[in-house]
Amino acid sequence: MGIALNTDAELHTDLDSGDSGVKYTLSGDGAGSIFTIDQTTGDIHALRSLDREEKPYYTLRAQAVDIDTNRPLEPESEFVIKVQDINDNEPKFLEGPYTASVPEMSPVGTYVTQVTATDADDPTYGNSARVVYSILHGQPYFSVDPKTGVIKTALPNMDREVKEQYQVLIQAKDMGGQLGGLAGTTTINITLSDVNDNPPRFSKSFFHLRVPESSAVGSAVGRIKAHDLDIGKNAEVEYTIVPGDGGAMFDITTNEHNQEGIIILKRPLDYESKKAYTFKVDASNAHLDPRFQSFGAFKDTATVKINVLDVDEPPVFNKPSYMMDVYEDTPAGTIIGAVTAQDLDASSSPVRYSIDWKSDLDSYFDIDPVEGTISTNELLDRESIAQHNISIVATKLNSPVLSSRVAVTVHVLDINEFPPELASPYETFVCENSKAGQVIQTFSAQDQDLRAAGQQFSFKSPKEDMKNKNFTIRDFGNNTAGIVTKRGGFRRRLQEIYLLPVVIDDNGYPPKSSTGTLTIRVCGCESDGSLLTCSAEAIFLPVGLSTGALIAILLCIIILLVIVVLYVGLRRQKKKETLMSSKEDIRDNVIHYDDEGGGEEDTHAFDMGTLRNPKVVKENLFRRDVKPEMKRGPRAPVSQDSADIRHFINQRLKEHDVDNSAPPYDSLATYAYEGDGSVAESLSSIESIIIDPEEDYDYLNDWGPRFKTLAGIFGEQSETQSNSTTTENTH
């Protein structure tokens, strides 16, 4: 606080004798601006008011100097001027205004908040800074502690739903609250926070709703609401349907935004079955406060009645789907079943039936539009289409736009129209070392007809094959059968392939039967039954040869044959170009003689009878040593007497002698034509085997199919005896 200092401070030195020879100077805090000194008398004066709260004290320095020379007469002195406090500052609430909250229904004395006021005056000097708190506005709800400034509730059962906001005015006064003290005020805004002290309440006890019968399952059919005076989570409401007959058709959920109860349809409605539903709904809080459960049950109950509104509906089929069976040989026009639909509305309109053409593009079926009977329109084939899926449309006569559909499945039943057959072409073999009673093959059957449960096949040998001494059929009774050997010792050389017929019967109606043939090949096997070879040619080869070795041997044989053919061809070409020696021209019907000259004596060297030709002489004979240049005409046949033969030979010799193409040395001319009935008979080895007409070759028929041709040849030769032989004559 400021004080006026006029002559409160005075400086004086002992050297000052009053003759005005001394001058006083002042320096330090505020010298010249706040404080000044009289140079002659040494009096210190304050130039303005002082504020203790601004600066509580000042430090100054003073000195006495000679007025003429300004020489210090004494050392400089330091002194402190302290500003004395007065009550010039009121208490202040630096953090105000305040905001606070307290739960509603709190008991008296519940802490709310605390306020604090500060006073700038000196707390150590008097009562200028001693503050006392009091409530100017806010009674009787709240109270304040005079010393601490703590705010507390002063009234019980304050209800937020009655009054939520309170404004309290607090005063702070210094000087201990005495008269004349300075005061400061602040405002506290106090809010009562909510507690769950109120149950939900329906605005009315009876709700009446209406819903069309065509409403979809899961759709909302109505809304009800229970109001709760609380807020936040304390106002959250849970709705439940009280169990009963009507409540089973509906469900209820809570809208989180506005706490409404939404009634949901659980099952389809039908006005014709039931026109109204009545049930009760409970509304309760989700979060309960145990302090207030003694107030009673925190829930409310209302009755809901829902009236079902009639809606014009399409016809209704008496089944959700239909299944019908029909045999595939059923004549066209046969009724296979019927569908039924009716109008459940009060009008009870007649219903007309039709087939959706998209589901029966080929028009296999027809339907009576009034009766709903379904009939076949043509013969059905299970093997083509085993199942037909058609759609039947039912339409109300007085309202063509209202229609309904139902699916009809028609199963085409199989009839036994195909005989059974072997499941596959079995490759069966029997080992040469097989024994009697062995099962060499297991086989089964198949049927193009529909495989029904319990379908059975039976297998047996045909009656004409019952005496088969090689194999038999054994039916295992499980739709399979086996080929069983009746003997052992099979030989490929005797018979390589056996054909075994088998009769297959099914158990359909009517039963079907077929005969299949199983081919059995005789093969060579190891002692353990493993297969070696089934080739017919392999029986003449070593057992251990593989297929690659057999192919290599065949290739070698073919190459050798080609070499031999080429060699023979080259030799024949060479013989044509050179003269033929008598030693090289050796054949069965030529007799060579080396005698030259001698006249008739040469005739004893060979039999002249071999030169006789009983019928005809071969024509167009040419020399073999030289290529002929001209052709000679045919010769007249010679007679069988010696003169004719001699004449013929001489004539031919002359022709050769005058032939310019003949070489100039002796040569051999061969006249090799062949006749029949020669005296010397044939010199060839052909037909040299004499067949005994009495020998019987029927045993060749028992050797198997491979000897069938040979048996036929010898059989014919045994029936017709050969009476003629062919002879070759050499001339």
Side-chain angles (χ1 to χ4, degrees), residues 395-417:
T395 306
K396 294 174 65 171
L397 192 60
N398 62 357
S399 182
V401 296
L402 293 176
S403 62
S404 57
R405 296 171 179 267
V406 69
V408 177
T409 302
V410 180
H411 296 283
V412 182
L413 302 180
D414 185 46
I415 61 172
N416 196 22
E417 56 183 340

Side-chain angles (χ1 to χ4, degrees), residues 258-501:
N258 55 14
Q259 300 301 312
E260 283 185 338
I262 304 174
I263 299 176
I264 306 297
L265 182 63
K266 289 175 59 178
R267 301 177 183 176
L269 298 174
D270 185 10
Y271 174 81
E272 288 72 25
S273 299
K274 192 170 184 179
K275 298 178 176 57
Y277 297 89
T278 302
F279 52 90
K280 292 184 178 181
V281 176
D282 287 340
S284 59
N285 285 135
H287 305 281
L288 297 178
D289 193 332
R291 295 179 299 171
F292 307 104
Q293 290 183 359
S294 60
F295 291 1
F298 270 66
K299 70 176 183 178
D300 195 12
T301 303
T303 301
V304 179
K305 182 178 181 180
I306 298 179
N307 288 100
V308 182
L309 303 179
D310 188 21
V311 177
D312 198 9
E313 298 175 301
V316 178
F317 286 94
N318 61 350
K319 292 183 181 180
S321 63
Y322 293 84
M323 296 185 65
M324 301 177 184
D325 296 333
V326 57
Y327 284 98
E328 60 180 334
D329 62 343
T330 300
T334 303
I335 296 176
I336 62 174
V339 296
T340 302
Q342 58 182 345
D343 181 15
L344 299 180
D345 294 330
S347 60
S348 186
S349 173
V351 178
R352 294 295 179 262
Y353 304 95
S354 62
I355 297 178
D356 186 357
W357 63 272
K358 294 181 181 179
S359 64
D360 188 23
L361 295 175
D362 295 327
S363 300
Y364 285 106
F365 304 95
D366 196 4
I367 189 170
D368 187 293
V370 178
E371 301 296 333
T373 56
I374 301 174
S375 59
T376 58
N377 206 24
E378 57 181 86
L379 288 176
L380 304 178
D381 184 13
R382 187 202 66 81
E383 284 68 35
S384 298
I385 303 177
Q387 177 177 300
H388 296 266
N389 298 309
I390 60 177
S391 179
I392 304 299
V393 181
T395 306
K396 294 174 65 171
L397 192 60
N398 62 357
S399 182
V401 296
L402 293 176
S403 62
S404 57
R405 296 171 179 267
V406 69
V408 177
T409 302
V410 180
H411 296 283
V412 182
L413 302 180
D414 185 46
I415 61 172
N416 196 22
E417 56 183 340
F418 293 100
E421 58 187 11
L422 291 174
S424 63
Y426 292 94
E427 295 290 338
T428 306
F429 71 92
V430 61
C431 295
E432 289 183 319
N433 55 0
S434 296
K435 298 180 181 180
Q438 289 185 349
V439 179
I440 62 173
Q441 176 71 55
T442 301
F443 60 92
S444 60
Q446 64 182 6
D447 198 330
Q448 296 184 26
D449 294 312
L450 180 65
R451 288 185 179 272
Q455 186 182 30
Q456 291 290 331
F457 297 111
S458 60
F459 307 88
K460 62 182 178 180
S461 298
K463 294 181 179 180
E464 59 272 13
D465 198 53
M466 295 299 291
K467 298 181 179 181
N468 191 327
K469 299 180 180 180
N470 300 313
F471 305 97
T472 186
I473 301 297
R474 180 184 299 172
D475 192 344
F476 295 144
N478 58 355
N479 288 344
T480 61
I483 303 175
V484 183
T485 58
K486 296 179 68 176
R487 67 177 181 88
F490 294 94
R491 294 293 179 266
R492 283 180 289 170
R493 296 186 179 183
L494 298 180
Q495 184 171 347
E496 183 183 2
I497 296 176
Y498 293 88
L499 301 177
L500 180 63

